[in-house]
Every structure is written in structure tokens, then in C-alpha cells.
Amino acid sequence: MLNYISRRLNLLLINAFILTIIAFLLAQWSNGQSLTDTNYIIDYVKYISAILQGDWGSSIDNRLILQQGLTAFASTLELCIISFITAALIAIPLGIFAGFYPNHFLDYCIMTIALIGLAIPIFWLAVITTMLPRLTGITLPIDGGISPIFEVPVVSGFMLIDTLLAEDLYQLNAFYDRLAHLFLPSIVLSFFLIAEIIRLTRRSITTVMKSNYIKAAYANGLSKTRLVLHHVLKNALPSIIHQLRLQLSTIISFAMVIEIVFSLPGAGVWLLNSIKEEDYLALPAAVLIISGFILLFSIFIDIFLMIISPLKRKSLYVD
Amino acid sequence: MLINYEFNEDKIQSPLQYTWSIFKRNNIAIAAMWVAIILVMIVIFAGYILPNTPTTQVKQLLLPPYWIDGGVSDHFLGTDDLGRDTLTRLIQGIQLTLGGALLLTLIVSILGTIIGATAALTKGLKASILHHFLDALLIIPTLLSALILIAIFGPSYENCLIAVSLSLLPQFIRAIYINIENELNKQYIIALRLDGAANIRLLRFGIFPNILESMVSLLNRIFSLAILEISTLGFLGFGTQFWDVELGALIASSIGLIFSSPWLVLFPGIAIFIIVLVFNVFTEGLRHAVIEGEDE
């Protein structure tokens, strides 16, 4: 167990090193310096010590990049978490059903939904969704993160928590307003996630259903609910979590695109505006923040998986 | 009736013929295959089948499609806000998006197979360095790496293709690497090794026939991601510039008209949807045929 954790920490260090090199090269490029002019090892050490002290430079309009980036990414993460919870609640039961009764009529229906969800371009679905409030007559906001009448102080960066903390200012109105702004974007993102989770769950469940211990459990006369809860799900979940971890960077990419369509302040809008204003110092900051988050989260999930499934302990590499 | 039982001349089919004979039974997959072939034909011969030139502007702006009141048969899918024919621009968009994605999948798969196989069959420091470097590249989200490359090299269609392929290449290499690595531990590979097979022979006769199924689904995944990412970058304005428009850029250019003429947004989106759907159904049928062929 200690061996496994030390291996993962080693991996974390090496990957963090490679990431900082990429960020350093980007920062050098955006400052307009070429590497041959100066001693780049000294430059790299200077850059890293500046990063570690929290001095990430400032953008063109004189705002601190570190705070800007963290706030933007927290907003993206909020969208991802909400959509993920919604999608998991809908998709996992559907996926279990489809995997449990392969080639059933409902299985075909569920898999068709999953195929459609995978094939629809996500930004197009977002554009179509912005038409929905006008066509159906429901009043839902389609752009912005929160109404400009609320001035919520930034504490954690997660707007939902901030609005709850600022309850003495606006009661719960700001919170509901934020929820309404997140409603349509999270529906679009969870549509993609539902398709993905259904596919992963079904594949994982069908693999487990073929194994011998399930046949043995059948022969012992276990009821179906007991079979699913005690045998199938326990063995299928680790590989579902593992596959979803690999999808994390895709999910964040899609969240960023959706933010741009709904002009929801977040990492996507921040990066797009920075590139359009030719403020390229945002790029190394984004690499460090977003990829650093994905890296830490992956290691965390790996250790979590090792705790719940002993089979993983043998694997040498992250795969 | 005279039946010759003694000389039963059943020819043994080659694996390819056998897979094809299983694939033929799947009607939906066959239909998808034909649509895919038609789409590829459109890509190749787009220059000859365009109904109008893409830049010709007529005086009737924002015409609806032919089957809606006010449409004219000269412009089957209507015209846009500058009076350009929608069908022409759509075909041109399909040519750029689908053609780009096909080219990109081909290049990524060839390069990825070579690098992945080399990494899996070499041991020691070289493999380790490659492994960690790929790990680091994998945790940068594809959109972010595409944005970085485009910020450095400037937006153009070619750079968009290069950016997407560079962000998909690590995924492909990693998947191929894991597949080959899993195969290498199996006993028939060890038997081949003991027979003295060189690496090329090992790959050709030992490993590739056994990872065919995951190769097919991997290629499908890379292709779908390529289509979606090329059009996403086009949508964000980092793809094609000026007159050449691919499907994402078509959607972006008509977002402002979504209420006055929604079909300008609908058609390119439906085109992307159909392309991805058709290729997915086709490869899924192919994958099933490969699995069944292996089972029997």
C-alpha cells in the first residue's frame, strides 16, 4: 500500500515538473524572450520561485492573474459538478438496466439515447438551447453568471456557496438567481455526460455479468436486487470511476465551450477573451491551474480506487 | 435429387471475407456504410457537385428552404444574410470538416501506431521518458492545448487541423500502448517470442490480429472527437478564415440570425450530427462483426 502511494507521488512530481516546463516555455514566449538570450535554467528557477510565492503576473487590465484564473476555474468546476451529479443520478440506473438486460427492447432505446448524446455537437446543442426560453415562454436567463443587481463578494469562488454566505445581503434571492443561470448550461453538459456514463456503465456491467461468480450467485438463488447491489455494482463501479477519470479533461473542455456560448463567466470565457486581447500570460496560468487540478484529482481518485478495489494495487502505471 | 455428400467443397474463407459475411447480416450497419460512402464521395467530388459558387451573392437575402412558404427551387436550402446559397456553403463545410477529420484520423493513426508500438516494445529509460511525457500531455484538456497552439501559430484552417491532431495524438498513442502491453503478457505472444519472431513479425501476426476490435473502436473515437473538435474550434473563430467556412464557423456566423432564420443554424448542426452518427453506427457494426468472428 505504501509502495503504491509512493509510486503515485513519484508520478505526481514528474508530471508536475513537465507541466511547469510547458508553462515556463509558454510564459517565456508570451514575454517575447527567446531562450538563447539568457541562461534558461536560472530563468526557470526564478519562474518557479515566483509561481510558488503567488506572483503569477498581472493581465493587461492590471488584474492579478492568479486570482482571476482561480475564480474563473471555480465557476467552471461548479458547472461540472452540478451537471455530473444530475447526469449520474439519471444515467447510472439506466446503464445498469441496459447492462442487466442486453438486447432487450428498452436496452436498444437507452443505447440509442446514448449514441445521439455522443453524436450531437455540444456547442450546437447549447446554441439551440438558448432559443428554448423564447420558444416555450418560460422565463430563464440565457446569458451571464448572475444578475448584475447582485454584488456578491468573492469568498470561495464557487458562486453558489458565495451567494449562501452573502445571505444577509439578499436573503436567498441571489442563490436562486445563480441556480437559474446555471440551469440551461448544466442541462446541456449533463446531456453529454448522461450519454457517456450510460455507455461506460453498460459496458462495465456486461463484462461483470459474464463472470463466473455471477453465475454462481444466480445458482444460489439470489434475488435480482440483491445480485445488483451486492455483486454486480461492487465489481463494476471501480472500472466506471476509472474510465470517468480519464474523461475528466474532455468534460472540462466541453464545459468551457458551453460557458462561451452562454457567456457564463468561467475558464472558457476568460481564456477566449485573453487570447482575443493578445494577453497570452493567461495561457501558462491556465495550464498550471486546470491541468494541475486534473493531475491532483486523478491521483486522488487513484488512491480512492486502490482503497475500494484491491486488484488495482498491482498496476504499475496510471492507465 | 442428387446431392453430392462426398465431395463437399467448402472453401475456407479468409478472415476478411469472414468478417464481411458477418457484417453483411447487419442491415442498419450496411445502410450506415452506404451513407458514409456517399459522404466521402461528397468530400472528394465537392468541387464538381456544387449547385452554385460559394461566393455568388443573389439579391434575395435570408430565403427559407424550398419546402417552406417563400422558398425558391434555385436555392434548395435557402440563402444567408449576404444572399449566398446555403446548400453550396453546407457542401463546402462538409468537405472541409469531414475531409479534415478523415485526413487527421489517417495521420494520427499511422503516427500513433508507430510511436505506440515502439514505446511498447522498447524497455528502459526511453520508454519511461515517453511514458511520463505522454502522461503530462494527456492531462492538458484538448481545447486548452488547441488554444495554446493556435495562439502560438495564429488561426488558420491548417493550424486548426495541426492543433487538433496534436491534442488527439497522445490519446491514441496511450490507448495503443496499453493494448499492446496487455497482449505482450499473453502466452501465445511468449510462444511466438520463443520461436524467435522479430518485433515486426510479432506485431503483424501476434498482436494486431488480436487488438483489431479495440483498434476499430479507438479509430471511431478519434474520428468523432476530431469532427467535434474541428467544428468547435471553427465555432470559436479559430478555424477557417474568410470565404472558406467549415460547419462550426457556419453556425457561429449565423448565431445572430437564430430567430429570423433558424435553419441557417439548424442545417450545419444536423450535418455534423449525421456525420458522427453514421460513422458511429458503421464502426459499431464492424466491431460486432470482428467480435463475432473471433468468438466463433
Side-chain angles (χ1 to χ4, degrees):
Chain A
M1 175 137 174
L2 216 61
N3 196 4
Y4 184 89
I5 290 179
S6 69
R7 223 185 272 143
R8 282 293 172 274
L9 286 181
N10 175 29
L11 198 74
L12 171 77
L13 285 180
I14 293 176
N15 276 352
F17 177 64
I18 295 175
L19 272 185
T20 49
I21 286 184
I22 294 174
F24 166 68
L25 291 177
L26 272 173
Q28 290 282 314
W29 170 78
S30 68
N31 285 337
Q33 295 171 346
S34 61
L35 281 173
T36 47
D37 294 355
T38 50
N39 189 339
Y40 49 87
I41 297 179
I42 292 174
D43 278 356
Y44 175 72
V45 174
K46 273 185 196 165
Y47 177 75
I48 290 299
S49 61
I51 289 287
L52 287 178
Q53 283 162 10
D55 175 22
W56 291 41
S58 48
S59 59
I60 287 181
D61 49 351
N62 274 327
R63 291 169 62 193
L64 287 177
I65 282 193
L66 177 62
Q67 282 168 0
Q68 218 183 345
L70 282 181
T71 324
F73 186 59
S75 177
T76 309
L77 220 53
E78 196 175 24
L79 175 65
C80 290
I81 292 171
I82 289 183
S83 331
F84 180 75
I85 293 173
T86 331
L89 286 180
I90 299 174
I92 288 186
L94 286 179
I96 291 174
F97 184 87
F100 215 70
Y101 299 102
N103 302 330
H104 189 267
F105 170 67
L106 279 174
D107 172 37
Y108 284 120
C109 292
I110 293 171
M111 289 320 284
T112 313
I113 295 174
L115 186 58
I116 290 174
L118 210 65
I120 283 190
I122 199 98
F123 61 91
W124 181 71
L125 188 67
V127 170
I128 299 295
T129 323
T130 56
M131 286 171 74
L132 263 186
R134 173 113 167 228
L135 291 180
T136 53
I138 310 165
T139 41
L140 268 177
I142 53 168
D143 60 340
I146 192 167
S147 298
I149 53 167
F150 301 110
E151 280 177 19
V152 183
V154 179
V155 183
S156 62
F158 291 96
M159 198 86 94
L160 280 176
I161 298 175
D162 284 354
T163 48
L164 280 180
L165 287 176
E167 200 193 336
D168 47 335
L169 286 176
Y170 309 105
Q171 277 86 39
L172 281 178
N173 289 337
F175 180 70
Y176 290 139
D177 192 68
R178 174 67 179 166
L179 269 189
H181 276 89
L182 277 181
F183 186 71
L184 287 178
S186 56
I187 281 190
V188 176
L189 186 55
S190 55
F191 194 71
F192 162 74
L193 279 174
I194 285 174
E196 200 66 34
I197 296 178
I198 286 180
R199 255 170 15 103
L200 294 177
T201 317
R202 183 182 181 274
R203 191 190 296 163
S204 179
I205 296 260
T206 37
T207 332
V208 172
M209 290 294 282
K210 276 179 200 157
S211 49
N212 284 334
Y213 52 84
I214 296 296
K215 282 175 199 158
Y218 256 129
N220 281 342
L222 286 188
S223 71
K224 280 215 161 138
T225 38
R226 207 179 146 73
L227 193 69
V228 169
L229 289 178
H230 287 251
H231 294 274
V232 179
L233 217 50
K234 252 186 202 168
N235 290 295
L237 263 186
S239 91
I240 298 173
I241 296 176
H242 178 73
Q243 288 289 327
L244 270 179
R245 196 211 77 188
L246 293 181
Q247 301 278 322
L248 188 66
S249 62
T250 317
I251 295 168
I252 289 182
S253 288
F254 281 159
M256 281 165 34
V257 175
I258 290 171
E259 275 171 357
I260 292 169
V261 176
F262 283 98
S263 50
L264 189 75
V269 175
W270 171 56
L271 272 179
L272 192 69
N273 287 340
S274 306
I275 290 178
K276 286 204 168 144
E277 288 164 7
E278 305 201 339
D279 181 8
Y280 294 128
L281 216 53
L283 286 175
V287 169
L288 285 180
I289 293 175
I290 300 178
S291 304
F293 169 78
I294 295 177
L295 181 61
L296 286 178
F297 195 75
S298 313
I299 304 277
F300 174 72
I301 291 277
D302 268 345
I303 293 177
F304 174 70
L305 273 182
M306 179 204 64
I307 293 170
I308 63 169
S309 88
L311 277 178
K312 285 274 169 204
R313 281 173 213 168
K314 279 190 291 183
S315 65
L316 191 63
Y317 291 114
V318 181
D319 48 27
Chain B
M1 214 164 87
L2 190 74
I3 299 176
N4 187 348
Y5 284 112
E6 276 82 44
F7 303 101
N8 214 348
E9 283 195 84
D10 265 350
K11 278 185 186 160
I12 296 172
Q13 291 174 315
S14 75
L16 200 65
Q17 283 172 335
Y18 188 54
T19 312
W20 170 246
S21 73
I22 297 171
F23 180 77
K24 262 197 307 193
R25 287 183 228 144
N26 190 343
N27 290 335
I28 301 175
I30 287 284
M33 185 191 77
W34 281 111
V35 180
I37 288 176
I38 291 172
L39 281 171
V40 174
M41 287 295 155
I42 287 180
V43 170
I44 296 172
F45 299 108
Y48 303 99
I49 57 170
L50 288 180
N52 290 294
T53 44
T55 50
T56 314
Q57 300 178 359
V58 293
K59 289 218 172 89
Q60 303 132 309
L61 308 181
L62 290 178
L63 275 179
Y66 172 61
W67 59 90
I68 291 176
D69 285 343
V72 291
S73 54
D74 285 351
H75 302 286
F76 187 69
L77 293 181
T79 55
D80 68 354
D81 53 333
L82 293 176
R84 291 171 293 192
D85 187 44
T86 307
L87 181 62
T88 315
R89 279 161 70 81
L90 200 63
I91 291 177
Q92 202 188 20
I94 290 176
Q95 183 186 23
L96 287 176
T97 308
L98 179 58
L102 285 172
L103 191 70
L104 196 151
T105 317
L106 188 73
I107 293 172
V108 164
S109 56
I110 293 174
L111 279 181
T113 313
I114 294 173
I115 299 176
T118 324
L121 292 175
T122 47
K123 292 275 177 293
L125 195 63
K126 255 187 296 177
S128 170
I129 289 175
L130 189 73
H131 207 87
H132 287 302
F133 190 65
L134 281 180
D135 253 356
L137 284 184
L138 263 181
I139 55 178
I140 302 180
T142 44
L143 183 66
L144 184 58
S145 53
L147 284 183
I148 289 172
L149 288 167
I150 277 171
I152 294 176
F153 298 114
S156 77
Y157 179 63
E158 290 79 15
N159 288 346
C160 163
L161 288 189
I162 293 173
V164 174
S165 46
L166 282 184
S167 62
L168 290 178
L169 192 59
Q171 292 189 23
F172 191 90
I173 296 175
R174 174 38 78 79
I176 282 283
Y177 177 86
I178 289 173
N179 276 323
I180 294 182
E181 188 79 2
N182 286 341
E183 284 298 311
L184 279 179
N185 296 326
K186 295 201 173 142
Q187 289 181 342
Y188 48 81
I189 300 294
I190 297 172
L192 258 181
R193 276 236 165 114
L194 289 176
D195 280 348
N199 278 340
I200 298 281
R201 192 176 167 81
L202 203 65
L203 279 176
R204 167 69 185 82
F205 294 101
I207 294 171
F208 277 122
N210 287 301
I211 60 170
L212 201 60
E213 182 241 324
S214 40
M215 280 277 272
V216 169
S217 60
L218 181 65
L219 278 178
N220 179 25
R221 180 159 186 83
I222 292 292
F223 174 78
S224 314
L225 277 180
I227 290 264
L228 294 181
E229 265 174 37
I230 290 174
S231 51
T232 306
L233 282 183
F235 177 74
L236 295 179
F238 297 119
T240 52
Q241 309 289 316
F242 309 116
W243 294 113
D244 290 336
V245 276
E246 50 83 52
L247 295 172
L250 268 184
I251 295 175
S253 66
S254 37
I255 272 193
L257 307 162
I258 188 164
F259 290 112
S260 53
S261 65
W263 34 83
L264 283 180
V265 177
L266 284 177
F267 288 139
I270 292 172
I272 300 174
F273 173 66
I274 289 176
I275 291 173
V276 179
L277 192 72
V278 157
F279 277 86
N280 263 290
V281 174
F282 168 52
T283 41
E284 191 66 15
L286 205 59
R287 201 172 68 87
H288 274 287
V290 173
I291 294 176
E292 267 184 51
E294 281 170 0
D295 280 351
E296 280 167 22

